Amino acid sequence: MAIPCDCKTLNISVNNVLEPFGFECHPFLTGWYNQLVSEKFQLNYPPSTAAVVVISQPSMFEKAFLPFLQEEFDSSQIRDPIDQCMLFYFHKVKKSFSEQGIDVESLHDFQLDTRRRPRILVQTAGHVSGAVRYYKPSDVEIEQKNNNYYPVCHHPRWGGWFALRGVFIFPQIQDSTLEKIEPPQNLSAPEASSMLELYNLHWQDWRWRDIGNPESRYSEEQIKYFETPPPDRFQLIQKYLDNREL
């Protein structure tokens, strides 16, 4: 029997847990997602099943990641530190709902299934929730059309200075009343084209993230972390920890 709860209420509950740590959450239905993905990526739930997509804002690094490093980080694990951090904060949400007797499944952007395919296409989830707009090569005018370009998402507030981190699915909760929100259209056609080209051809210089005059950017500390090759990030982490102890 479905628990009498709606998708918006669930989203508020998830936000209450994660918002203080630099995250934002947006509700959607699994059927909306399944309509846009091929069969191999579809979620095996009824179309009205409630779901929530989680986005990290520019402030996540300072509000969630650095405190996590100081208090919970396990340097002996093979898993990437950011992935460890996301698992930690997602667990907070799952624990909160478990205490209410509500089942919840979490799907992370970094997780693969047994066939080495993503368990969730987070860009599509963000798009159907109305939180971001998902730009594909077929959606924009590009001088030298290249359908091998990777698609990219744009956030109405953060531009490209954000990340889609994963999805919560609530199998017990069906909600046919949630109104679908059209993804934001904040970019002009030339801006969308520029963003797609910069993302694919010059992603290393971060310019694609600034398209659309974002309200906030990553801190210099955060940019340095992501620009550092993964094997060298542990030295940087130790430096962060040493500085926070001063």
Side-chain angles (χ1 to χ4, degrees):
M1 179 181 294
I3 293 175
C5 184
D6 62 80
C7 209
K8 286 185 178 180
T9 302
L10 289 171
N11 190 68
I12 291 170
S13 297
V14 178
N15 255 322
N16 286 342
V17 176
L18 294 181
E19 190 174 23
F21 303 105
F23 297 94
E24 63 183 70
C25 310
H26 302 266
F28 68 97
L29 302 180
T30 56
W32 301 350
Y33 172 89
N34 285 344
Q35 287 174 357
L36 294 188
V37 300
S38 61
E39 185 176 355
K40 62 185 178 183
F41 291 115
Q42 288 181 354
L43 301 170
N44 189 24
Y45 297 99
S48 61
T49 304
V52 170
V53 64
V54 178
I55 291 173
S56 60
Q57 300 173 340
S59 63
M60 180 279 297
F61 193 82
E62 283 71 31
K63 290 182 176 180
F65 185 58
L66 294 182
F68 166 79
L69 292 179
Q70 192 167 39
E71 299 169 13
E72 303 290 341
F73 175 57
D74 183 356
S75 60
S76 67
Q77 284 197 31
I78 299 175
R79 187 178 294 281
D80 178 86
I82 288 284
D83 293 351
Q84 282 190 48
C85 178
M86 295 304 112
L87 288 165
F88 174 76
Y89 287 102
F90 274 49
H91 178 71
K92 285 181 175 289
V93 173
K94 295 178 75 172
K95 183 175 183 293
S96 174
F97 281 105
S98 175
E99 292 170 350
Q100 302 173 59
I102 299 176
D103 293 338
V104 55
E105 181 181 3
S106 59
L107 303 174
H108 294 267
D109 65 312
F110 53 81
Q111 289 178 324
L112 304 177
D113 64 17
T114 55
R115 298 185 180 182
R116 307 296 297 171
R117 291 193 294 242
R119 293 186 66 201
I120 185 75
L121 300 179
V122 287
Q123 292 192 103
T124 303
H127 183 86
V128 298
S129 77
V132 298
R133 180 165 285 274
Y134 183 41
Y135 289 100
K136 304 185 295 293
S138 58
D139 296 331
V140 301
E141 293 293 330
I142 303 176
E143 282 189 25
Q144 295 181 339
K145 201 71 171 179
N146 187 339
N147 287 321
N148 292 322
Y149 278 177
Y150 290 104
V152 63
C153 283
H154 181 268
H155 192 288
R157 294 184 63 194
W158 315 123
W161 300 98
F162 74 98
L164 291 145
R165 296 298 181 181
V167 163
F168 290 108
I169 299 174
F170 300 88
Q172 297 163 288
I173 299 170
Q174 307 297 308
D175 183 359
S176 59
T177 66
L178 185 68
E179 294 184 12
K180 194 171 185 180
I181 300 173
E182 183 66 19
Q185 183 74 35
N186 291 77
L187 300 183
S188 65
E191 286 175 325
S193 298
S194 178
M195 186 176 191
L196 196 67
E197 290 190 295
L198 288 172
Y199 177 71
N200 280 275
L201 302 178
H202 306 284
W203 60 268
Q204 300 95 328
D205 63 21
W206 303 76
R207 283 182 294 161
W208 68 271
R209 296 183 185 271
D210 278 325
I211 300 294
N213 299 314
E215 292 180 22
S216 182
R217 306 171 81 247
Y218 289 176
S219 64
E220 290 304 316
E221 196 172 37
Q222 184 170 183
I223 290 173
K224 183 175 182 181
Y225 180 85
F226 287 117
E227 285 183 337
T228 300
D232 299 329
R233 289 177 181 172
F234 291 95
Q235 293 181 351
L236 201 56
I237 286 172
Q238 189 57 54
K239 185 176 179 181
Y240 291 156
L241 296 179
D242 292 343
N243 288 341
R244 288 174 71 87
E245 290 173 358
L246 295 178

